[in-house]
Amino acid sequence: MPIAPRPCALCLEIDPDPQEFCRASSWLRAGGASLGVPQEQIDRLELCLNEELANLVDHGGDAVASR
């Protein structure tokens, strides 16, 4: 079993732009694979990630846009 990473050992910052979703998905897939996360779990996490990013961009307002 892989050792859990330190908090923020796998960090990513993206702009609040839907075109950044692909980069975030790639980051999630690479990080999950490096930690030995099963592919089915990575697929589910990627779905959640994309949904959350879409919600932030669509509904986050100025707080998201200014970051």
Side-chain angles (χ1 to χ4, degrees):
M1 178 176 223
I3 297 173
R6 293 175 287 129
C8 217
L10 300 172
C11 295
L12 174 72
E13 289 187 26
I14 63 170
D15 293 323
D17 180 340
Q19 293 185 359
E20 291 274 79
F21 292 7
C22 183
R23 193 163 71 93
S25 289
S26 295
W27 167 85
L28 176 78
R29 289 186 168 283
S34 73
L35 294 171
V37 176
Q39 187 62 46
E40 184 177 320
Q41 298 278 342
I42 292 172
D43 293 342
R44 290 178 182 169
L45 288 167
E46 183 180 22
L47 179 64
C48 295
L49 172 67
N50 286 322
E51 182 66 25
E52 186 60 33
L53 291 174
N55 286 339
L56 286 169
V57 169
D58 289 345
H59 307 291
D62 293 337
V64 172
S66 67
R67 295 191 118 209

